[in-house]
Amino acid sequence: CALAMAARRAGDGAGSMRGPGRAGDGGAEEDMDEWVRVADVAARAAELRALVVDKMEPQKAAVATELQGVEGKRRAMAAFRDALLDMKRTGEDKYAAHVNLGNDIFAEALVPDTRRVFVDVGLGFHAEMTRDEAIGFASRRVTELQEEAEALHARRKQVDTDIETVKRALAQMVGEVTGA
């Protein structure tokens, strides 16, 4: 660690308490002040490192995980909307699909009349809607999810910026102590 090297360099190799760059020019009090300053910078650097590792990096990971979930929901809702639009455009009222019965066991299902569909509206609730109502709902939901994803992208970018700011401050502190 650069702070440890600075502390070692602060001595003369024989356990002296002389500070960096001093060739026996000052008293023990000045030497001790320099050591206290180095120790203070080391403590502040450790706090900043802990801030990044313990708070900011997990926050960044949580935002990324939430963003993946929102993007997945947006893609699924857009696919649902597009399927309804295709059925409307072709005039097809029947729909065949593979349905997950649980534990990744699928069955082929045939929906005989798609003019009315059940739509997952959130929190485990489903609402029966006409095809046009479902298309409108899905379109609005895709827009909402896109806005949510954009806000999460901005949040992730802000966390990245904050991490870089703390890392620059840490590098500056180390540079001041090491004379780099």
Side-chain angles (χ1 to χ4, degrees):
C1 173
L3 291 174
M5 291 181 352
R8 274 188 248 120
R9 199 173 67 210
D12 66 357
S16 164
M17 291 296 288
R18 277 185 281 156
R22 293 189 180 115
D25 62 321
E29 191 171 312
E30 287 179 14
D31 293 340
M32 187 55 75
D33 288 345
E34 184 64 18
W35 278 99
V36 169
R37 187 181 74 76
V38 168
D40 182 50
V41 169
R44 286 187 292 160
E47 288 173 6
L48 287 177
R49 182 183 177 286
L51 175 67
V52 169
V53 171
D54 298 338
K55 301 262 194 236
M56 298 173 111
E57 290 291 346
Q59 185 179 32
K60 179 181 174 180
V63 169
T65 299
E66 187 176 353
L67 180 60
Q68 284 179 335
V70 168
E71 287 289 347
K73 289 177 186 177
R74 187 194 58 75
R75 282 190 301 273
M77 190 58 72
F80 173 67
R81 178 200 58 208
D82 294 345
L84 290 172
L85 286 169
D86 285 344
M87 284 184 259
K88 182 178 178 179
R89 187 173 34 255
T90 62
E92 186 69 36
D93 287 334
K94 295 179 183 176
Y95 183 70
H98 286 64
V99 179
N100 189 346
L101 300 175
N103 292 327
D104 289 331
I105 298 172
F106 290 85
E108 192 169 309
L110 177 64
V111 180
D113 185 5
T114 59
R115 291 176 292 179
R116 296 195 67 77
V117 294
F118 285 91
V119 179
D120 180 355
V121 293
L123 300 174
F125 292 99
H126 294 78
E128 185 176 2
M129 298 180 188
T130 66
R131 190 181 312 164
D132 288 335
E133 291 170 335
I135 290 169
F137 174 84
S139 295
R140 286 187 304 277
R141 189 70 181 120
V142 167
T143 300
E144 291 168 1
L145 290 166
Q146 182 61 39
E147 290 169 357
E148 189 175 343
E150 288 169 4
L152 287 168
H153 277 291
R155 177 83 174 116
R156 184 173 63 182
K157 186 176 179 180
Q158 182 60 51
V159 171
D160 284 339
T161 300
D162 292 346
I163 289 171
E164 288 306 312
T165 299
V166 171
K167 286 181 177 180
R168 279 194 304 275
L170 185 57
Q172 183 179 4
M173 288 170 60
V174 170
E176 289 174 4
V177 170
T178 61

